[in-house]
Every structure is written in C-alpha cells, then in structure tokens.
Amino acid sequence: MPLRRTSTLSNRVKRGFALIELLVVLGIFALLVSLGLPISWRSYQIYSFQTEYARVARFLMVARSRSMANLSQHSYRVCYDSVTHQLRLVPRACHLPDVSETADLSKQIRISQWPTWGIGFTQLSGASNDSTVIVADDEHSELLVVNDHGAIDW
C-alpha cells in the first residue's frame, strides 16, 4: 500500500510574516521613538543655545583681537541692537555708520545688561570696561564677563 502524504503544519514551509508579528515590531519601534524624541529635542535645544552663546563670545573675541592687532588703527567694539536682534562689530563708536561685520541672533535668545555704548576694546592693549552680559533663552542662562584687561570669560 502506498504511503499517503499528510499535510501538517510542521511540514509546510512558512513564507512571510504574520500581521501580528508586524504589529508587534511596529509597536516596539513606536515605543523607542516616543522615548528617544524628547531626549533628542532637548539635546537640540541645548546645542542651539550653546551655538548662539558662542557666537556672542566670538564677536567679542574678534573685536578684541582686531583692536590689539591695530591693523586699521582703530579700537573696535561690539554693539547689540535689540530691535533687529543683531550684533555689530564696528570700529570706534556704535553710532557711526561703518559696520565691519554683523551677526543675526536667534529670536529665542535674550541678551540683557548689554551696555548701550557697546563693549569696546582699546587699541593695542585690548583693555575694556568691566561688563557682564546675560545670554538666555527659555530654559538656559549663561554669563559672559569682560574684565578691565579685556579678558573674556565665558
């Protein structure tokens, strides 16, 4: 008598994924994304704030080094325009129209205690008036301190 082939589940070849398997994988993926997204958003906010903070410090450092180098025989200062949210690197005084460089700051950044006349550095020595500036956003706040020798602490 010939042997009959029986078709059982164990003998069948499984192909593809079942719908429940795909749903479980998608659920795990959604869970990982929902846990990771707030962490990465927070990192982005910190990075954005640190970038703007470094931009303000860089402008002060450029003004000091140009004053000390004495290439154009001018003292330089950094002025902050709170209306346009812009830093300006200018020779001599803030009210004069000759602007060397500008930088647009993010609208989320607030700068307080910036002197009206700007932060200036004297020619050759790089000395300055004592100034403390607060750079802040909704969650962070940092101090930028310029001492009378022109050193910038940030």
Side-chain angles (χ1 to χ4, degrees):
M1 170 163 185
L3 292 172
R4 274 191 345 189
R5 243 192 229 190
T6 58
S7 175
T8 63
L9 185 60
S10 61
N11 290 339
R12 273 193 250 163
V13 178
K14 291 176 77 177
R15 294 188 181 136
F17 297 103
L19 181 60
I20 191 71
E21 292 170 329
L22 289 174
L23 289 175
V24 167
V25 169
L26 286 175
I28 292 171
F29 180 73
L31 178 69
L32 291 174
V33 167
S34 68
L35 293 175
L37 196 60
I39 295 169
S40 62
W41 178 251
R42 177 95 171 121
S43 298
Y44 171 75
Q45 287 178 323
I46 292 170
Y47 174 77
S48 296
F49 174 76
Q50 291 297 329
T51 301
E52 295 295 322
Y53 180 62
R55 182 180 290 173
V56 175
R58 183 191 74 82
F59 253 71
L60 291 171
M61 289 181 214
V62 167
R64 183 171 191 253
S65 67
R66 287 190 186 173
S67 293
M68 291 174 70
N70 198 31
L71 294 177
S72 58
Q73 299 181 351
H74 294 298
S75 59
Y76 282 83
R77 67 181 53 247
V78 178
C79 304
Y80 173 65
D81 187 353
S82 60
V83 175
T84 61
H85 230 56
Q86 193 175 58
L87 289 175
R88 295 181 293 137
L89 177 64
V90 296
R92 297 186 284 280
C94 286
H95 63 278
L96 296 176
D98 50 349
V99 176
S100 302
E101 268 183 72
T102 61
D104 295 322
L105 296 177
S106 170
K107 301 293 184 205
Q108 285 80 24
I109 298 296
R110 293 181 311 278
I111 296 180
S112 56
Q113 297 182 4
W114 194 280
T116 309
W117 58 90
I119 298 175
F121 300 92
T122 59
Q123 192 175 351
L124 294 175
S125 70
S128 180
N129 293 330
D130 287 329
S131 300
T132 301
V133 176
I134 300 171
V135 180
D137 67 0
D138 293 335
E139 297 181 18
H140 310 92
S141 178
E142 293 285 342
L143 291 178
L144 260 169
V145 179
V146 180
N147 68 18
D148 59 345
H149 298 292
I152 302 163
D153 183 24
W154 63 294

